[in-house]
Amino acid sequence: MKTKGLKRVKVNIVTLGCSKNVVDSEVMMTQLKGNNIDVTHEVQNNESNVVVVNTCGFIDHAKQESIDTILRYVDAKREGLVEKVYVSGCLSQRYKDELKAEISEVDAWFGTGDLPALLKKFKADYKKELLGERITTTGRHYAYLKISEGCDRPCSFCAIPLMRGKHVSKPIEQVITEAESLIRRGAREILLIAQDSTYYGLDLYKKRKLAELMDRLAEVDGLGWLRLHYAFPTGFPENILDVMAKRPNICNYLDIPLQHASDRMLKIMRRGTTRSKTESLLEKIRQKVPGVAIRTTLIVGHPGETEDDFQKMLNFVEKNRFERLGIFTYSHEEDTYSYSFQDDVPEEVKQERANTVMELQEEISRTSNEQKIGKELSVLIDRKESGQFIGRTEHDSPEVDNEVIISSDNDYLRVGDFNQIKITNATAFDLFGEPVVK
């Protein structure tokens, strides 16, 4: 019988949270693989003897999901199904000491910048020559590309700076090298992500460089779509709009989290802007990039939010008719500025307000989608499931936005290819279509 010490290490990485965590897990996988260690991602019932849980610590729901996942693998360890459980990521960065005391069966805890220390647990080295190389977990045809880490914004409700630190931009050349590598490996779409993408370059170059970065990325051979996420509205670099309008392979899509529309709440939330300034920016974006789809996120239930504040948010959504919108209920996060306030909006009121916004957004989205019936759109095919091909337009990011559904009964479409699809029907959050016969 083999002893445990002789067993070859096989690692399964489990990723929770946002696309930034996805990239971190992919980098971890690449480093482990580069050290000749077997590694998989979120494989159920496999033969891995080590599990790394890459956690999220953003809001209450995400923290609870991370804790539940850790406990599930601790149970698996007790049952002899795995030998070691390691925990990394934002939750571990923020609550390492408390978690160590509460869940002692975890073998080691690592923060967001502790990849070299984690690798040492496997007697592996951090290989600088692998910078820019990534094993993607999203499928070959699209990939997230992190252009910076951390955030310098003072938003009252946000714990990201506590977990991710100050803003640090990647050099332009490094971002381009990574994009070229991803495209060589089959990526057709690159999704730019950061905690705050519009701050890009200020730390390295003493001025905002997002427009230059996007312009240069658009020139990379083989890039089908370039998509921008997490653009902060205050200090928005308007020159990126000129680049978006000029470059056909930059998606007419902008993810710009606005969080609220009441001037009183924007001041309390320390967003550095007003409703008037925000609406002026939205008007400029739509003017300079005709046909752009704007995605935003909002927060209801922040301490001090009155019914009047909420009605101003609702009116703002009705007036500006965002193509894509998500909403969070406020989460009272320790060590943030807002934590000093009383969490005075009852949970049921938070949820009711969130539901009201999403009911309005459903009507807005249905109207927008129905206007697409009869149009021909370029669609990137993501997957095939249940007798249907599922794809997206340039106005839709993976996981969070609308999808285009095409029957596979009469047509064969290849995952990762762009196809012209005629839209034949629509619901509030999905389009249905058929391939255009050439």
Side-chain angles (χ1 to χ4, degrees), residues 152-170:
D152 287 353
R153 302 289 185 175
C155 302
S156 67
F157 52 86
C158 187
I160 285 175
L162 302 173
M163 298 179 285
R164 293 281 178 175
K166 291 281 193 180
H167 179 98
V168 180
S169 301
K170 282 184 187 176

Side-chain angles (χ1 to χ4, degrees), residues 13 15 19 21-31 33 39-43 130 132-146 178-191 193:
I13 296 173
T15 305
S19 53
N21 259 21
V22 170
V23 172
D24 291 345
S25 288
E26 292 174 347
V27 170
M28 191 188 305
M29 291 177 67
T30 304
Q31 288 288 335
K33 198 80 171 176
V39 59
T40 57
H41 187 254
E42 297 185 351
V43 174
L130 293 176
E133 297 294 324
R134 281 227 319 274
I135 298 169
T136 55
T137 60
T138 54
R140 292 180 59 202
H141 65 286
Y142 73 88
Y144 297 104
L145 178 48
K146 194 189 293 190
E178 189 168 346
E180 289 171 340
S181 173
L182 290 166
I183 290 167
R184 280 197 303 271
R185 296 171 68 93
R188 308 296 307 280
E189 176 184 13
I190 298 291
L191 300 96
I193 59 171

Side-chain angles (χ1 to χ4, degrees), residues 147-148 167-173 175 196-205 207-211 213:
I147 62 174
S148 65
H167 179 98
V168 180
S169 301
K170 282 184 187 176
I172 288 176
E173 296 303 332
V175 176
D196 174 8
S197 60
T198 47
Y199 204 86
Y200 177 80
L202 271 174
D203 55 322
L204 281 181
Y205 307 108
K207 60 181 179 178
R208 298 178 192 271
K209 285 280 195 172
L210 183 60
L213 176 68

